Amino acid sequence: MPVEIVGRDHTGFRLLSPPGLLPPGGRRAGLLAHSFRPQNVGLAMMTFTGWLTARSGTEALYAPHTSTALAAPANRTVQALGNGILAKHGVWRAGRDGTSERLRILAGRQGQQES
């Protein structure tokens, strides 16, 4: 559900949500914060896991336990170069650890089942 971070303190983030979407009580929850610039050049993203406690139908407190982040540069050439290097590394690693071969075998089996 969409939320807006309206504040933070030592206990976590204060969130606002549209009325009727926030279930009462407390529970484990994930939170994704993101920012996209035009044509996705210069994007940023943070992912959290933590505890969500509803204070009302529209207000909640989110206490994160873990977080991870990703940021891409606001330069199209640098971003494309970085994406290419990461893709090449993934292909190399998949060949080295046997993932490529396992995928070829699975694709062959699936092709046999479809015909």
Side-chain angles (χ1 to χ4, degrees), residues 32-76:
L32 172 67
H34 57 82
S35 169
F36 296 101
R37 292 186 181 170
Q39 299 180 354
N40 286 339
V41 176
L43 61 97
M45 181 178 71
M46 290 190 76
T47 306
F48 300 92
T49 58
W51 190 259
L52 179 73
T53 304
R55 292 181 170 171
S56 72
T58 59
E59 294 181 35
L61 175 68
Y62 186 75
H65 300 288
T66 64
S67 67
T68 186
L70 164 78
N75 180 304
R76 182 179 299 283

